[in-house]
Amino acid sequence: RFALECFARMILDGKKTVEVSRIAFDEYNENLDRRERLKIYTDDRAQNFFLNKHHRSSVMCPFGPSELWKMLREQNQDDMIFS
């Protein structure tokens, strides 16, 4: 649905590209990092495959299904740049 709404806006407004704004990108990543720090797999004593060289999980998501659904369902058009 998220992608379809972006496509619809692009078609209706005659735009060719869409990208996330820098502010939205930074806010999301700050929230992601804050939530990741609460997960057991990020503990320094843990030895596992969950974290990559950037100390982020490549396979786990710190957000629950309802949080992800809300993020994708209620998109903020101000978070995107159409051109």
Side-chain angles (χ1 to χ4, degrees), residues 8-46:
R9 181 165 173 196
M10 290 171 65
I11 292 166
L12 294 172
D13 293 348
K15 304 296 183 182
K16 302 228 182 263
T17 65
V18 62
E19 61 184 287
V20 68
S21 73
R22 186 66 198 194
I23 292 170
F25 177 84
D26 290 341
E27 286 176 358
Y28 173 81
N29 280 288
E30 287 168 10
N31 191 24
L32 176 72
D33 290 340
R34 184 172 46 257
R35 294 292 293 276
E36 281 271 294
R37 286 192 292 273
L38 301 174
K39 299 300 181 183
I40 194 166
Y41 56 82
T42 63
D43 188 288
D44 290 335
R45 297 167 293 179

Side-chain angles (χ1 to χ4, degrees), residues 29-67:
N29 280 288
E30 287 168 10
N31 191 24
L32 176 72
D33 290 340
R34 184 172 46 257
R35 294 292 293 276
E36 281 271 294
R37 286 192 292 273
L38 301 174
K39 299 300 181 183
I40 194 166
Y41 56 82
T42 63
D43 188 288
D44 290 335
R45 297 167 293 179
Q47 300 293 319
N48 58 61
F49 75 99
F50 291 118
L51 300 180
N52 62 27
K53 66 181 179 180
H54 304 291
H55 205 66
R56 283 209 175 134
S57 177
S58 299
V59 294
M60 302 297 285
C61 179
F63 306 113
S66 60
E67 290 173 290

